[in-house]
Amino acid sequence: MKTLQQWYDDYAISHQHKTNQKIHFVCVPAIFFSIVGMLMSIPSGLLQNTLGISNPLLGNWATLILILLLFFYLRLSFSLFLRMLGFSTLCVYGNYYLGQELPLFTTSLIIFVLAWVGQFYGHKLEGKKPSFFKDLQFLLIGPAWVFEKISKV
């Protein structure tokens, strides 16, 4: 199993260009946020009835999947787990309130597509393929790497 630093080092190989990094600082969290929104758009009546949860912030597919993903981060680092728990919580609350004002799935899908366009533009500037083409786990490392880089700015 790779250490967190090994993941960061491997991810950084295709993220050296300053503009690509700046694009990632915006687009990676936007993609994460939009995926949470799309997952929250899945009807959750079955989940809420099965688990006996009536709170829409807890009884939704996004929260269930985020709990599972948080174990991945916890395995790598407790401080990373805390950062991702905080960001995940913001994403759930943000999407809940966004869904009160706009159609959540459509809005999330638009954010998702626009953010991926930005990502691929950044990698065009970089001249290297996105890391997840090598290993899908990099899709989970991307947000961690962004928060690590931002915390050092």
Side-chain angles (χ1 to χ4, degrees):
M1 181 172 106
K2 288 184 185 180
T3 66
L4 182 57
Q5 191 57 54
Q6 288 170 321
W7 279 113
Y8 286 160
D9 292 345
D10 287 350
Y11 191 84
I13 292 169
S14 61
H15 300 88
Q16 297 296 310
H17 193 281
K18 291 297 179 196
T19 302
N20 187 29
Q21 288 181 12
K22 289 176 184 173
I23 290 170
H24 275 62
F25 293 168
V26 173
C27 292
V28 168
I31 290 168
F32 193 98
F33 180 84
S34 68
I35 291 171
V36 170
M38 287 187 277
L39 289 169
M40 286 180 73
S41 299
I42 299 171
S44 57
L46 174 66
L47 180 65
Q48 289 178 352
N49 291 336
T50 304
L51 298 176
I53 299 172
S54 60
N55 184 327
L57 295 169
L58 299 174
N60 65 71
W61 294 104
T63 299
L64 178 66
I65 291 170
L66 286 168
I67 289 168
L68 297 174
L69 288 179
L70 287 168
F71 282 110
F72 173 80
Y73 295 119
L74 180 59
R75 202 179 83 221
L76 292 171
S77 158
F78 186 70
S79 65
L80 171 61
F81 163 79
L82 291 176
R83 275 189 231 144
M84 293 308 297
L85 174 62
F87 182 62
S88 297
T89 302
L90 287 173
C91 287
V92 169
Y93 273 93
N95 275 291
Y96 175 76
Y97 290 109
L98 180 65
Q100 303 299 309
E101 301 297 323
L102 298 168
L104 185 57
F105 181 81
T106 304
T107 305
S108 296
L109 183 61
I110 290 168
I111 293 168
F112 182 83
V113 169
L114 291 175
W116 273 110
V117 168
Q119 291 283 91
F120 283 108
Y121 175 72
H123 280 286
K124 183 175 191 260
L125 294 174
E126 183 82 43
K128 294 183 181 154
K129 292 180 184 176
S131 300
F132 74 87
F133 285 157
K134 185 171 104 177
D135 186 336
L136 287 177
Q137 291 180 84
F138 280 114
L139 291 170
L140 299 177
I141 295 301
W145 180 84
V146 165
F147 292 128
E148 179 69 15
K149 292 289 281 185
I150 289 173
S151 71
K152 292 182 178 179
V153 172

